[in-house]
Amino acid sequence: MTTPNPYAHRTAKHFDGIRYDEALIQKYNRQGPRYTSYPTALEFAPIESGVEASILAKRDPSVPLSLYIHIPFCHHLCYYCGCNKIITKKNSDAGDYLTYLFAEIRHKKSLLRGQSVVKQLHLGGGTPTFLSDDELSALWQFLQEEFIFADDGDFSIEIDPRELRPTTLKLLKDLGFNRLSFGVQDLDQKVQIAVNRVQPLELIQSVMQEARALGFVSTNIDLIYGLPHQTPKSMDLTIQEIIKLSPDRLSVFNYAHLPDRFLAQKRIREADLPSPADKLAMFGNIITALGQAGYQYIGIDHFAKPDDAMAVAQRQGELHRNFQGYAILGECDLLGFGVSAISQIGEHILQNPTALADYQDAIKSGALPAVKHIQSDAKDALRRHVIMNLLCHDYMSFQDLHQKFGIDPKEYFANEIMSLQDMAKDGLVQIDDDGITILPKGRILGRSIAMVFDEYLGKKHANRFSKVI
């Protein structure tokens, strides 16, 4: 007899019930991780010689794969960007990069046992469509030769509408990509000029229309609130136009101004940024508008149409989080390739060098490129299970914890449950004999709730995170 999934919701009503309460946001809005892993990447330590090869050689071939390919190139520098991307005008530079990328893939693949099916692939960056059509074709063909791909896999790519050639979208669809993601950030021209990402609405409309005509399963649009010259009124106009475009998914990020960490942000004048009160108003308006338009709030800035695979996975209790954000295929091991790429294999997390020269030097020397590593233990696995289910499904089942980890959850997490009492009194969470449920007023503060279970948080990371809202 199959045990029912305790995280599957019998109806979609819970996901319609998000409540925006400005006073509670002000009270509980604090800095914290986005939990694309637990432990987070901040706990990485330098990797010892031979460790990466051993991890790859011991990987269970029965576990399917998710591949992440990092392309660190952009034609234009976006000033809001929190990544130190490599800006270049020459596609030939990317061709050299592919040579290193292919060498890394061959090396890692040679160490894997058996044949594992690739269920998920994502090309990110940077801007993967910086690559020419021929280079994209060569990369796809190479991956097809090295790996076995599932017929019904989830294969996505980030695109830049400003840099697409007339043949690029059709090529991507013909190759096998079925999901697209691209940044809009804001449609107001004054804002676009201030962040050096000018792209008219007509261009976005054209890309969306072509993507639908070609049969892409899902299209995601990124927006950012808190950019220079944004106002609640201007952002509301952007949201209404985006709703008309009807993307399948939306990612709406809070801009964190950290010019000391990210050099590109030094080009943004702090005096041009909206006030904290206006930022909160923008986010409240966004939640209201997207809810009225029928989008399901997934969590941590993400929204999806109710019939999108991500929204369905959440209602069925099968949503996951990894270094690619929310994922519908969380049972996979993640293999990352390229500069700064992260892999997650079993209880091991590894990261490649973040500097292109260091990455190239490692590949030229014939070494595996990972420079950082962390191996989580049983205690980490327990807390990861709690945090990820709270963030994905707004619930933690005590019975599930007892069955999976052999603990008395109320006793084991007595201190954490005590720490949640104020949130319970304020109606953010409900704690009963079944478990911990995040209520409608707590859904947009999910990270703040999850942080209660994070043993690694402390003063050493105080300035490394953005606030929840």
Side-chain angles (χ1 to χ4, degrees):
M1 181 178 177
T2 303
T3 303
N5 183 341
Y7 303 103
H9 290 259
R10 287 183 292 275
T11 71
K13 289 182 179 178
H14 171 82
F15 298 106
D16 295 333
I18 184 171
R19 289 270 305 278
Y20 176 84
D21 189 313
E22 185 172 333
L24 290 178
I25 291 173
Q26 294 279 16
K27 181 176 180 179
Y28 293 107
N29 187 21
R30 59 193 182 106
Q31 294 177 329
R34 295 182 64 80
Y35 292 116
T36 51
S37 70
Y38 184 84
T40 69
L42 291 179
E43 306 308 323
F44 279 149
I47 194 168
E48 296 181 3
S49 177
V51 169
E52 184 174 14
S54 176
I55 292 169
L56 291 168
K58 294 177 181 177
R59 198 195 83 87
D60 182 354
S62 68
V63 177
L65 287 172
S66 173
L67 306 183
Y68 173 73
I69 313 293
H70 189 80
I71 308 298
F73 300 98
C74 293
H75 280 285
H76 306 283
L77 176 66
C78 299
Y79 299 160
Y80 57 79
C81 188
C83 301
N84 293 317
K85 296 174 183 174
I86 298 159
I87 314 300
T88 178
K89 296 292 185 181
K90 299 178 181 178
N91 277 348
S92 60
D93 295 342
D96 296 335
Y97 180 74
L98 287 182
T99 301
Y100 291 97
L101 193 62
F102 290 175
E104 179 194 2
I105 293 170
R106 286 193 191 96
H107 193 170
K108 288 184 176 178
K109 177 66 165 49
S110 71
L111 296 170
L112 298 177
R113 292 182 293 128
Q115 285 282 7
S116 302
V117 175
V118 174
K119 288 190 173 183
Q120 195 168 43
L121 167 70
H122 183 69
L123 264 65
T127 306
T129 49
F130 176 93
L131 300 177
S132 69
D133 288 0
D134 286 344
E135 288 167 337
L136 287 167
S137 296
L139 174 57
W140 182 270
Q141 181 178 349
F142 177 82
L143 293 171
Q144 293 288 321
E145 292 170 354
E146 293 292 326
F147 298 96
I148 298 173
F149 282 71
D151 293 334
D152 58 349
D154 189 79
F155 308 132
S156 59
I157 183 171
E158 296 171 19
I159 65 172
D160 184 341
R162 300 169 299 173
E163 302 299 337
L164 293 176
R165 282 78 59 185
T167 55
T168 302
L169 284 186
K170 185 178 186 304
L171 170 72
L172 293 174
K173 188 64 175 64
D174 290 344
L175 289 176
F177 288 96
N178 49 31
R179 298 186 188 276
L180 299 175
S181 180
F182 60 95
V184 172
Q185 321 315 352
D186 194 293
L187 291 173
D188 185 278
Q189 188 177 45
K190 188 175 182 181
V191 177
Q192 291 183 347
I193 292 171
V195 299
N196 198 39
R197 192 182 181 98
V198 178
Q199 47 187 7
L201 174 61
E202 293 75 19
L203 174 61
I204 308 303
Q205 290 171 328
S206 174
V207 171
M208 292 291 292
Q209 290 168 0
E210 185 179 359
R212 287 200 176 95
L214 289 169
F216 281 93
V217 172
S218 179
T219 302
N220 176 83
I221 283 179
D222 291 344
L223 299 174
I224 298 177
Y225 65 97
L227 294 174
H229 304 300
Q230 280 180 337
T231 66
K233 182 178 180 180
S234 72
M235 193 64 194
D236 187 56
L237 292 174
T238 287
I239 287 293
Q240 294 305 324
E241 290 294 343
I242 294 299
I243 287 172
K244 291 177 186 176
L245 294 175
S246 193
D248 302 281
R249 300 177 186 176
L250 278 160
S251 303
V252 187
F253 299 108
N254 166 24
Y255 172 66
H257 190 59
L258 301 169
D260 291 338
R261 287 181 56 196
F262 306 116
L263 295 180
Q265 294 185 359
K266 291 182 181 292
R267 306 192 188 196
I268 291 178
R269 295 178 65 245
E270 196 160 344
D272 294 335
L273 297 174
S275 67
D278 278 352
K279 282 185 71 175
L280 274 180
M282 288 181 212
F283 188 65
N285 294 343
I286 290 168
I287 286 176
T288 300
L290 292 179
Q292 291 174 347
Y295 283 89
Q296 179 173 310
Y297 178 67
I298 303 297
I300 311 188
D301 315 322
H302 284 65
F303 301 80
K305 288 182 177 180
D307 59 350
D308 185 87
M310 183 174 288
V312 173
Q314 185 176 52
R315 295 196 301 272
Q316 293 178 344
E318 296 174 350
L319 191 65
H320 303 268
R321 273 187 73 73
N322 60 25
F323 284 99
Q324 294 168 257
Y326 285 104
I328 60 176
L329 297 170
E331 76 278 10
C332 301
D333 278 339
L334 173 64
L335 283 182
F337 303 102
V339 61
S340 81
I342 291 177
S343 298
Q344 191 161 9
I345 303 169
E347 296 301 318
H348 298 273
I349 305 173
L350 311 97
Q351 184 176 27
N352 285 354
T354 57
L356 180 61
D358 293 340
Y359 171 74
Q360 291 175 323
D361 287 345
I363 301 301
K364 281 190 288 189
S365 72
L368 289 166
V371 292
K372 294 181 180 179
H373 168 244
I374 187 169
Q375 179 178 1
S376 57
D377 57 23
K379 184 171 64 173
D380 293 329
L382 166 60
R383 290 181 177 271
R384 177 171 63 244
H385 192 72
V386 172
I387 289 169
M388 296 307 178
N389 276 297
L390 288 172
L391 293 176
C392 291
H393 305 118
D394 301 322
Y395 181 56
M396 171 40 59
S397 164
F398 288 156
Q399 183 179 4
D400 178 52
L401 286 181
H402 176 69
Q403 290 177 342
K404 283 187 170 65
F405 300 97
I407 63 167
D408 179 342
K410 292 182 181 179
E411 180 179 335
Y412 190 94
F413 290 116
N415 291 334
E416 287 81 1
I417 290 172
M418 183 64 65
S419 297
L420 288 172
Q421 292 307 310
D422 282 348
M423 290 184 176
K425 290 176 184 177
D426 285 333
L428 272 63
V429 298
Q430 174 182 302
I431 305 169
D432 55 28
D433 290 339
D434 292 330
I436 299 169
T437 303
I438 298 179
L439 300 174
K441 285 196 290 187
R443 294 199 67 213
I444 57 178
L445 289 163
R447 282 167 61 196
S448 294
I449 296 166
M451 277 184 255
V452 172
F453 296 89
D454 187 341
E455 280 198 319
Y456 291 92
L457 280 181
K459 292 183 179 179
K460 66 175 182 175
H461 297 325
N463 297 318
R464 296 302 303 272
F465 304 116
S466 63
K467 284 192 174 182
V468 173
I469 307 298

